[in-house]
Amino acid sequence: MKITEVRALPVKGRHWPRFPMVFIEVRTDEGLVGTGEALAFQATGVIQSIEQIGGWLCGEDPLQIERLWSSASARAPGWQP
């Protein structure tokens, strides 16, 4: 099973853009869809970051969560978990 697409779906609620809610869909070649969410203080960059990380994850095995997390966090300059 491989990741084929990662989509960021912003929800523009009453506190947008100060406290954005962004849902995330991770789709696989076997038809499975995983969901998640991202919260941030400002909307700027959240969706773009998800899309960039999604590009890195395409083609990867979605069951390798720790390895994918480590790989994505290592690629994000200046960010530490």
Side-chain angles (χ1 to χ4, degrees):
M1 178 169 37
K2 301 289 181 194
I3 296 172
T4 58
E5 181 181 19
V6 177
R7 294 179 55 200
L9 307 165
V11 178
K12 295 185 178 183
R14 67 181 192 165
H15 296 295
W16 183 273
R18 189 165 167 215
F19 294 103
M21 168 76 76
V22 180
F23 291 102
I24 302 161
E25 285 185 349
V26 178
R27 296 179 176 271
T28 70
D29 60 350
E30 294 186 12
L32 295 175
V33 179
T35 58
E37 63 181 329
L39 294 170
F41 177 68
Q42 296 289 331
T44 305
V46 174
I47 295 167
Q48 294 84 355
S49 294
I50 293 167
E51 290 171 349
Q52 184 175 22
I53 291 169
W56 299 338
L57 298 178
C58 284
E60 297 287 344
D61 179 353
L63 301 177
Q64 299 294 317
I65 297 168
E66 287 189 33
R67 185 180 64 74
L68 296 176
W69 175 263
S70 294
S71 175
S73 63
R75 289 177 150 188
W79 185 80
Q80 295 181 6

